[in-house]
Amino acid sequence: MKVTLEDIKQKPMPKHIAVIMDGNGRWAKSRGLLRTAGHRMGVQALKNLVLALDELDIHYVTVYAFSTENWKRPADEVNTLMELIVEFLDKELDYMHEKGVRIHPIGDISRLTGKTYDKIVAAQEKTKDNTNIILNVALNYGGRQEIVRAAKNICADVQSGRLAMDDIDEALFGSYLYTAGQPDPDLLIRPSGELRVSNFLLWQIAYTEFWCTNILWPDFGKEHLWQAIWEYQNRDRRYGGLTK
Ligand code: IPE
Ligand code: IPE
Ligand code: MG
């Protein structure tokens, strides 16, 4: 069945979608191109995703752009990825801002190259009051790193007397994560045929619905997004309980 915009508009939308933007390298390889060409097309697919979300009533999206493990890749690939971020912001920031997109980096961005870091911080500052789409961009992000960081910050606040140990509960813990104040993702999309989480949003995906596809990220378009949303809308989320 080919899902249309009208189909998905009949039922409640997911509030927050997370996407592991994977498969750029294989997309390029299958065309005899350099991996970096795949990353460049991947950036285009990200822009298309934001445009597709703008047509829907979905205000939170988290995209995995660079993991804490991606430093294992050859230096020139890492450098290209950092440059592509700069290129994307140079080219698209004004447009994203017009569309009401708030660019919110998550992860330890202090380790990124100076230029990339500066551009991201500037983009974050420029778009900080936008509310149409909160675009969390995971950069040097690892789910375990995020949880350890939260635990350390909580400890520091207990030590300084700002928090009592009895204040620590799931909600408090969540408020120390990069995604503080945001709803957990309802739907996690992983293209490229991999069936794993790769250290993405480990805390936040406790009850997230997964949608995996063999489509490679550069080929991912709005029709795939609609398909994912439609399947999500037709699932039974029980949260450990029973069907209503
Ligand atoms: C995802 O595509 C982009 C990043 C991890 C930065 P890949 O580069 O992982 O593409 P494949 O998995 O090799 O095809
Ligand atoms: C996950 O993809 C990270 C990003 C898409 C940024 P990877 O390609 O790094 O994941 P693995 O290595 O296949 O698990
Ligand atoms: Mg990959």
Side-chain angles (χ1 to χ4, degrees):
M1 168 190 166
K2 202 167 154 37
V3 176
T4 66
L5 193 55
E6 285 64 45
D7 292 329
I8 59 171
K9 283 199 164 168
Q10 324 247 330
K11 289 196 182 186
M13 287 291 160
K15 286 193 172 65
H16 184 169
I17 294 185
V19 183
I20 300 177
M21 304 189 290
D22 197 14
N24 298 348
R26 279 162 283 176
W27 182 93
K29 193 173 174 216
S30 71
R31 286 165 175 75
L33 302 169
L34 292 174
R35 292 179 57 82
T36 49
H39 294 315
R40 184 159 267 123
M41 287 304 289
V43 174
Q44 196 55 47
L46 170 59
K47 183 180 174 189
N48 292 338
L49 174 74
V50 174
L51 295 184
L53 290 171
D54 187 44
E55 288 186 301
L56 303 169
D57 192 23
I58 298 176
H59 305 289
Y60 295 91
V61 59
T62 302
V63 295
Y64 207 1
F66 194 87
S67 75
T68 47
E69 289 74 38
N70 286 147
W71 296 106
K72 293 177 192 161
R73 298 187 180 199
D76 57 339
E77 178 165 344
V78 171
N79 289 336
T80 304
L81 286 164
M82 297 297 146
E83 279 163 24
L84 277 173
I85 295 164
V86 172
E87 220 179 278
F88 173 73
L89 292 173
D90 281 344
K91 223 174 102 200
E92 308 290 356
L93 181 61
D94 287 344
Y95 185 66
M96 293 282 147
H97 187 46
E98 262 170 50
K99 288 267 170 204
V101 177
R102 175 173 168 203
I103 296 181
H104 180 243
I106 64 170
D108 180 9
I109 59 168
S110 70
R111 255 201 81 187
L112 305 181
T113 53
K115 194 170 172 202
T116 307
Y117 175 86
D118 292 346
K119 288 274 175 190
I120 287 166
V121 171
Q124 183 177 17
E125 180 57 28
K126 182 180 168 108
T127 61
K128 68 178 192 309
D129 296 323
N130 293 343
T131 53
N132 181 29
I133 298 176
I134 312 300
L135 174 61
N136 299 308
V137 188
L139 285 166
N140 190 24
Y141 174 90
R144 288 185 171 180
Q145 182 273 338
E146 179 182 35
I147 290 168
V148 169
R149 171 184 172 273
K152 279 187 170 166
N153 288 337
I154 290 170
C155 286
D157 284 349
V158 170
Q159 262 178 348
S160 72
R162 238 180 307 166
L163 261 188
M165 201 154 96
D166 280 344
D167 295 333
I168 304 172
D169 58 12
E170 291 183 13
L172 184 280
F173 202 96
S175 75
Y176 278 74
L177 299 174
Y178 295 119
T179 50
Q182 302 186 19
D184 285 339
D186 299 296
L187 173 63
L188 169 66
I189 296 175
R190 180 151 198 171
S192 92
E194 308 299 354
L195 302 174
R196 55 178 170 255
V197 169
S198 303
N199 202 12
F200 192 39
L201 302 175
L202 297 181
W203 174 278
Q204 295 89 337
I205 59 171
Y207 268 102
T208 299
E209 295 292 327
F210 284 25
W211 191 78
C212 297
T213 173
N214 289 331
I215 306 280
L216 302 170
W217 176 247
D219 289 327
F220 192 94
K222 66 179 173 188
E223 62 284 10
H224 305 112
L225 178 71
W226 296 347
Q227 179 79 33
I229 291 172
W230 189 81
E231 288 186 28
Y232 160 85
Q233 289 170 328
N234 287 286
R235 289 189 192 171
D236 182 16
R237 297 183 82 184
R238 289 187 292 279
Y239 299 96
L242 300 176
T243 303
K244 282 203 191 89

